[in-house]
Structure formats: C-alpha cells, structure tokens
Amino acid sequence: MKILYIVYLFLLAVTVAAVVFSATAGKSYTEPERYLPYDSGWTDESGTPADLEKLTGTTAIVKRLPVIEQDCELFFRVKNLNVAVYKDNILYKDYGEAYSSMNAGYKCPGTYFVMIPLYREDSGSELRITIENPYQNDSSCNIKSMYLGQGYAIIRAKVFEMLPGFCTSVLIILIGGILGLLSVTLKKYNRSNSSLLSLGLFAFVIGIWSATETKLLHLLIGYTSIIHLVTSLSLILIAVPIFLFFRARKEATDKISAILVSVLTVIGFLISVIMHFTGIRDLHENITIAHIVIITGCLFTLYYAFQAFRKSHFRDFAFWGLLIIAVFSIVDIVLYYKQITTDNSTFVRFGVLGYVTLLAAQLLEGYVRTYSENVKADMLLQMAYSDVLTGFYNRNSFISDIKEIDRSLGGHKGRAVLVFDLNCLKYINDTMGHTMGDTALKEAAGYIKQSFSSIGKCYRIGGDEYTVISDKALSEPELDGLYQGFQAHILNRNNAPHDDRPYPLYIAFGYDVIGGSAESAMDTFNSADAKMYENKQKLKEILKSENAAYVR
C-alpha cells in the first residue's frame, strides 16, 4: 500500500509540474507566423456571410482559397455537426459518414477536429463544407478554431492551449483516487464516517468530466463519440457524491433526501442511457435530464452544507467553498451559452481543485488525529496481551482464550494444548548474566514458533514456560511428527558451535487434547503441564548422569 501512495504522490508532482510548465511555457510553443485564422469570409451558397458559431439545419459554406505558396493544412474544430469537405466540388472526405461506425449512439461524432491537406495546385480552388445539424435549432453546434497554415504548428499550439486545464483535471482525478484509498485504509478508525470516500468520488468523477471537456483527448486520440459518452454520463453522476459528503458531515439520520437524490440519479441515468442506445433521443438531446439531476442534488447539497455551516457557527469554510464553485459553475454556463470558450469547465475546474484540496486537508487532519489515538490504543491493547521479549501472546491472552474455549467446549474437541519449559535458565542467568538469559528465552521461543506456529497460537505464560493451543483437532501421530521435527531442530542447534550463545538448549515438553479425560480446557492445560513436568524431571536425570553443570 505504501508504494502505491508513493506512486500517486509522484504522479501528483508530475501533474503539478505539467500544469505549471504548460501554463508558463505554452506561449513559447505557439508560432502564429506559421498559421493564420481562417474563420472569416465564409458565405452560404447564395453569397450571404455565414456565421460559423450558429449552424442549424442543413446548409453549406464556401470560400475560395488564396494563393498557396507552400503545402499547408486547413484545421478546424467541429461540434455536434456532420460535415463533408469538397475541393472544387470534389469530395475530399465526409466526416459524418467516416465516423458513423464510431458514433456510440450519437447522431454525429460529437466534438472532433478536421485537418485538410492543401497543396500549391489548390490555389484559388473553392472549398465547400456541407453541414448537417441533427439537433434542429441547437445553436451550440458550430465550427471554431479555424486556421490555415502548418498543421504541426497548429496542433502544437492547441495542445498547449488545452494542457493546463487537462493537467489540472488529472490532478483532481489523482486527488480523488488518493482520498478513496485513504478512506479504505483508515476505515478501521472511522467506520461511521464516509466523508472522505464521498469527497474522493466527487473529485474523481468531476475530474473525469473536466478532463474530457478540455477536448485534448479528442485532438490527440480521436474516438470522439466514446469520449463524448464519458462526458455525458459522468455529468449525471457528479451531484451524488458531493451530496453524500455534506449529508455525512451533518451526520443526518433522515433517509428521504438520500433516497430521493439516489433514485432520481439512477432513474435519470437509466432513462438517458436507454433512450440513447435505442435511438429515441441521444444523450446530447437529453442534457436537460442531467441538468435536473444535478440541480436537485445541488439543492439538497446546499441544504446540508448550510446546516453544517450553521452548526459551525458560520465558520465552516466548506460552505463558502461550495458557493464559490456554484458561482464558477454559473460563469462556465454563461460562457457555454455565449460560446466564448470551447472548454465548458474552465473556472469550475480550478474552484474544485482548491476546494477539494482544502476539504481533504481538513478531513485528513481529523482522520490522522483519530488514527493516532487509535494506534496508541492498539499499542496499549497489544502490550496488555503480548509478551514484549518474545513477541508471543502473554498469560493474559492465554487465560482469555482458555475461558473462551470453555464457553463452548464441545466445539473444540480434539484441539491440542502443548506446554514447554526451558531448562537451565537459572544457570544461564547466574553464570552468564540476565542478558544472555533473555537471549536464551528468545531463542527457545524462535524454535517453538518455527515448529508449532502453523497449528495455532503461541504464548509465553511464565518466566521460562511456553504453551501452544492448536486451532483445530490434531491426532497423536501429527503431534508426534511435529515434536520430532522440533527435537531435530534443537539437536542440530546444540551440535553446532555458537560463540554468541555459549549454552545448550534443553526444552521439556508435554501435551494433551481437549475433550479427553479433562473436563475443561484449563484441566487439559494442567494435564499437559503435568506431562511436561515429568519430561522435565527425566531430562534432569539425563543431564545429571552426564555431570552437566547446568542442571536447574
């Protein structure tokens, strides 16, 4: 998970750098001497001047080319029109027909860019562009950004014109992704708080919509109708997450508003999609449905935002930020209807970026504070139930688990309780020091963990005493096999020289199974402990017979 955050932060840094670079360096990449505006002087076929920004019905515009001294291109952007280009009445390309297989249910390819190669022999030729507006009198259908000149220079200039907005949108998407990841990571410590996830979804969805609105993807990769589809569908989904965000912040308990907004969004989404793909009305024609969904969600959002604002005694900047976004949205809508810009999210994009960043910082501060408090609580809890020296569970944990088993003893029949005791610890402490004694305790725990942790939990329940409770029923052959493997590890260890551990390991062992002669899990432990003590005494006798100095 940490590496994922690092990658995301790297991408954020790259995106910010791209925004700054494209905003500051873009002008140096524009080369107006290599191309000229070419959107004036067009007429309809009767000779009446044509308005390229208001093209309705079926019509044609014509213009005679000037003297072309070197090969160049005619470049322009088409929005929601089917166009065909003719040179001296010879069809060059019918874009509506060419893109018809990729219209994704739309009546035209959406927004796309046209580049017509022109050569010296085309000097003085008549260009005719036939236009079909499938949306009746929709005045938003137009031709813009028409230039004549070097195609690569025009495209480069358009890329740098769109790049700041696109990079800002990507930054919003990345922030949304990070907030989503953090909400999942911190869910353990904020189970009832969905604010972070809602804000992340809002940022992600509006970032997707904003990125497609820049038209950079249309220019660079094509598939304009698919991108148009993403734009339309993401627009419908924008209102829900920000509504849920403010509703969560108010900690509202009423469900009517949440149901209303969610159901309205789902119904609007399904109606739009069904009508689009059945050919009744495409998503562009049903933009009103998206607006109704957004306005309804925004009204409820403003209500909850104001409630939270009032609850904070009018100091919560989240409300003011929402008002700023609302104002920016109105500005973008006005620019859209006035057709002043081709980017319908110019202002709202930067408002959302600043707003989401500040809200995220505010939320994360609370999350981090709660996280730190819970980490401390977890550490205290872990200290209460774990042994610091060996990392095993401690006696408190052992007693708790034994009691839990005894509450439903029948369901644990056959589970094994194993008891271990480290011989010679007193000798090691007295002759080599307690630090070496601690080393011996940790080493013994390591061998027990190596051999038995796969079957259950390991505990250190006393100074030199350990126990293991298996998670499932085990047969005697299985237990004997595990013990033989354990003994082999100890034997190999004792036969090898260890300058840093100048002592042998002798570990006594005993076990019993729950549900046998013992009446409870604790009785099973006591039985296993008695068997371990018998083994310990035998081990002592062996060591005495060998005249070992380390006999406890």
Side-chain angles (χ1 to χ4, degrees), residues 383-386 393-402 459-461:
M383 290 173 64
Y385 285 93
S386 64
Y393 292 96
N394 64 11
R395 188 174 186 82
N396 290 335
S397 181
F398 171 73
I399 296 298
S400 175
D401 289 346
I402 284 289
Y459 309 82
R460 181 186 175 206
I461 58 173

Side-chain angles (χ1 to χ4, degrees), residues 11-12 15-16 19 166-176 353:
L11 291 175
L12 284 175
T15 306
V16 170
V19 172
F166 182 80
C167 290
T168 304
S169 301
V170 172
L171 187 57
I172 295 171
I173 293 170
L174 290 174
I175 290 174
L353 177 62

Side-chain angles (χ1 to χ4, degrees), residues 122-195:
D122 291 323
S123 297
S125 297
E126 182 185 74
L127 279 183
R128 181 163 62 94
I129 303 175
T130 62
I131 297 162
E132 178 207 359
N133 184 342
Y135 300 113
Q136 301 300 324
N137 295 318
D138 187 345
S139 61
S140 69
C141 306
N142 53 48
I143 291 177
K144 278 194 171 185
S145 302
M146 185 175 282
Y147 299 98
L148 183 67
Q150 299 299 315
Y152 73 90
I154 300 170
I155 291 177
R156 186 162 61 180
K158 297 304 291 183
V159 166
F160 277 97
E161 176 186 316
M162 302 169 184
L163 196 57
F166 182 80
C167 290
T168 304
S169 301
V170 172
L171 187 57
I172 295 171
I173 293 170
L174 290 174
I175 290 174
I178 289 176
L179 294 180
L181 286 172
L182 286 173
S183 71
V184 174
T185 304
L186 301 176
K187 184 178 180 181
K188 175 181 177 182
Y189 303 104
N190 294 269
R191 292 180 179 86
S192 61
N193 190 351
S194 59
S195 296

